[in-house]
């Protein structure tokens, strides 16, 4: 029974903590700077960075869509819709440049 509980806990962690743990981190200074995205970058830094290290925007792709993360934070009332939209736009803008 203990093994089952441990495996169940691991599955729950996999969708959030393990994703975060293995995701590459980035320093604020290393984030791309473009004059047209400075407001969006500030939103990403100030909203996400107030609670944890920033994840490198290159991490977010079809396998790790940013919307999966922002939805979880919105559902838990950690961020609002406006913040989620700004973060998603910033990440998508960077993804489209690569």
């Amino acid at each position: 029974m203990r093994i089952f509980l441990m495996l169940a806990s691991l599955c729950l962690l996999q969708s959030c903590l393990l994703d975060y743990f293995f995701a590459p981190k980035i320093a604020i200074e290393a984030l791309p700077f473009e004059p047209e995205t400075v407001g969006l970058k500030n939103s990403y830094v100030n909203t996400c960075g107030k609670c944890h290290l920033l994840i490198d925007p290159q991490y977010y792709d079809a396998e790790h869509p940013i919307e999966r993360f922002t939805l979880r934070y919105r559902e838990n009332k950690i961020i609002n819709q406006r913040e989620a939209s700004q973060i998603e736009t910033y990440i998508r803008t960077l993804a489209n440049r690569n």
Side-chain angles (χ1 to χ4, degrees):
M1 183 63 152
R2 274 190 177 174
I3 293 174
F4 175 76
L5 290 175
M6 287 175 52
L7 289 174
S9 297
L10 183 59
C11 288
L12 291 174
L13 287 175
Q14 182 180 8
S15 68
C16 59
L17 290 179
L18 286 179
D19 273 346
Y20 177 75
F21 182 76
F22 289 111
K25 310 308 182 282
I26 192 169
I28 294 168
E29 302 79 27
L31 285 169
F33 175 78
E34 308 255 344
E36 67 272 11
T37 63
V38 72
L40 298 171
K41 175 183 173 181
N42 288 340
S43 182
Y44 179 62
V45 168
N46 295 329
T47 303
C48 300
K50 71 181 174 188
C51 297
H52 56 74
L53 297 173
L54 295 173
I55 295 174
D56 188 335
Q58 293 180 12
Y59 174 74
Y60 301 105
D61 56 16
E63 188 178 333
H64 305 101
I66 185 62
E67 293 81 7
R68 184 174 84 195
F69 297 90
T70 55
L71 176 62
R72 185 179 313 134
Y73 284 106
R74 278 194 1 254
E75 287 174 341
N76 289 300
K77 300 191 183 339
I78 296 169
I79 63 174
N80 61 40
Q81 179 60 47
R82 185 177 139 268
E83 293 166 327
S85 294
Q86 290 174 332
I87 293 164
E88 291 166 6
T89 300
Y90 178 65
I91 297 300
R92 277 192 235 107
T93 300
L94 294 179
N96 290 334
R97 291 190 178 148
N98 293 331

